[in-house]
Amino acid sequence: MLSDNVKLGDEHAPHRSLFNALGFTKDEMRKPMVGIVSSYNEIVPGHMNIDKIVEAVKLGVAEAGGMPVVFPAIAVCDGIAMGHIGMKYSLVTRDLIADSTECMAKAHQFDALVMVPNCDKNVPGLLMAAARVNVPTVFVSGGPMLAGHVHGKKTSLSSMFEAVGAKKAGTIDEEELRYFDEHTCPTCGSCSGMYTANSMNCLTEAIGMGLRGNGTIPAVYSERLRLAKMAGYAVMEMLERNIRPRDIMTKEAFMNALTVDMALGCSTNTMLHLPAIAHEAGIELNMEIANEVSDRTPNLCHLAPAGHTYMEDLNEAGGVYAVMNELARKDLLNLDCMTVTGHTVGENIAPVKNRNTEVIRPVEDPFMKEGGIAVLKGNIAPDTGVVKRSAVAPEMLVHEGPARVFDCEEDAIEAIYGGKIKPGDVVVIRYEGPKGGPGMREMLNPTSAIAGMGLGESVALITDGRFSGASRGASIGHVSPEAAVGGPIALIEEGDIIKVDIPHNSLNVDVSDEVLAERKKNWKAREPKVKDGYLARYEKMVTSGNRGAVLEI
């Protein structure tokens, strides 16, 4: 066992003395030492229940013969960080989480790990760490929030942001807005739609690193505690069989995850996180392959914000495994991939049935024949841009209109709420990419403002930043190269005609190559917005969005 490096032999008597200081018994020190990475905190609603999950995991590990030891991981609530400088600190935590978890696991020689994440960057950060450390590891998340209820209808955080736009437009009053904010988020858990947190927790199942239900069992269900105990049992079995993350996170497993991503209609942030996780596993995942996967994968789910069903509905319909079973009927998955259960994907999903064909469409009758995400290219995005196709109104799949150009999110918000954006416009928000932000802020406020102002079916938005999973509409993000490095999005001028053609995966400005080349000659790099602290270091090391915004050593 790895932990023998700090427990056995006379030379490790000093280490044992420190374990004695922790209260470890001799019997405990003979057992495998299992690190439980707790993302519990009191500021993120998706994490406020994780202390209970961790206690259940500890019990499972101990019952299965291990010695559970808890250490922490940080997490940012994207909803609270949204729309101000705090959002610059969201994506960047992914790497802090991976780095700090690697440090703790390696420094203390844990034999195995159970990761207990829940929200946004916390999940991919711990998946990245799992690939690096490569000791037997199981994931069990804090679980999704139950949907809110407003006037008898289920609702979620995206509705709350859009309600602000509706208030600005005068279609609801102050009392109605207050009613929304008191009834939209009723419980602990990750926000109730198919946003980034739930997307990544579902894909953790698809990739084989989480047990069945990890992505969908609501946070407040006692079933979540039983799952946590099972995770403790499972990690001990993995340790006995020496099944490690890199045995599970193979190229084929990432292709399974991409396929499930398309079927579920996940957040576009998955197009940042999957390549970053694959990179840590020694696999290069080129996002241009996403269109190949999308072309052959039907979109089976329209969860909020794309539709009116929620994570609790997906759970009741059979969850991620039921979706995978539908895909398997069309031979779209590799069923031989190993998982944390010790069984293959095919063995795991075989007994699971689709219990609600309105929530999970049969593979023969999908919402769309293509997957939920599309990767676009063109003279605005030579390297790629990304859109959640399943959340775009049909009339906006092809759109042409004049550019309304803004060099930061705040200026765009002011124009939208000020009534300066008109039907047909294409809002361009740039210098918000990984380097330009720095930190690649999410643009949920602008997209929600557009929807709330009644422009969701007539205005497109493109950015070198990114979008929350709660965003809907013709919202095209991750435009690469970004403006800060002189990408073509920096060369767009007010009034240029932008052409969006999602069915043909294209994004172009109607300006000649010669004119763009002349504009490029006159373009000058800008001074970094942040010159000290972690963001300044991040800006120097981060790569572009199409590469997953990974850090270069």
Side-chain angles (χ1 to χ4, degrees), residues 47 60 77 340 480:
H47 291 231
C77 176
V340 293
S480 302

Side-chain angles (χ1 to χ4, degrees), residues 39 83 92 130 141 162 190 281 284 321 327 349 394 402 465 487 490 517:
S39 303
V92 304
S141 76
E162 290 178 16
S190 48
E284 293 305 315
Y321 278 16
L327 295 171
I349 69 174

Side-chain angles (χ1 to χ4, degrees), residues 145-150 153-163 180-181 183-186 190-195 198 303-312 444 448 469-472:
M145 185 184 290
L146 294 177
H149 288 82
V150 175
K153 294 182 179 180
K154 286 184 178 181
T155 190
S156 60
L157 186 64
S158 53
S159 303
M160 186 67 251
F161 276 90
E162 290 178 16
F180 262 88
D181 73 46
H183 294 86
T184 294
C185 297
S190 48
C191 296
S192 58
M194 188 53 79
Y195 308 155
N198 293 326
L303 283 84
H308 300 289
T309 53
Y310 296 83
M311 296 306 296
E312 62 204 64
L444 178 56
S448 298
S471 291
R472 64 184 176 95

Side-chain angles (χ1 to χ4, degrees), residues 267-281:
S267 162
T268 52
N269 279 314
T270 61
M271 297 294 104
L272 284 174
H273 300 322
L274 287 177
I277 299 160
H279 179 74
E280 298 293 349

Side-chain angles (χ1 to χ4, degrees), residues 237 241 243 336-348:
E237 183 176 345
R241 296 177 58 183
I243 300 172
D336 296 325
C337 291
M338 180 52 64
T339 73
V340 293
T341 65
H343 299 288
T344 64
V345 167
E347 291 169 330
N348 287 343

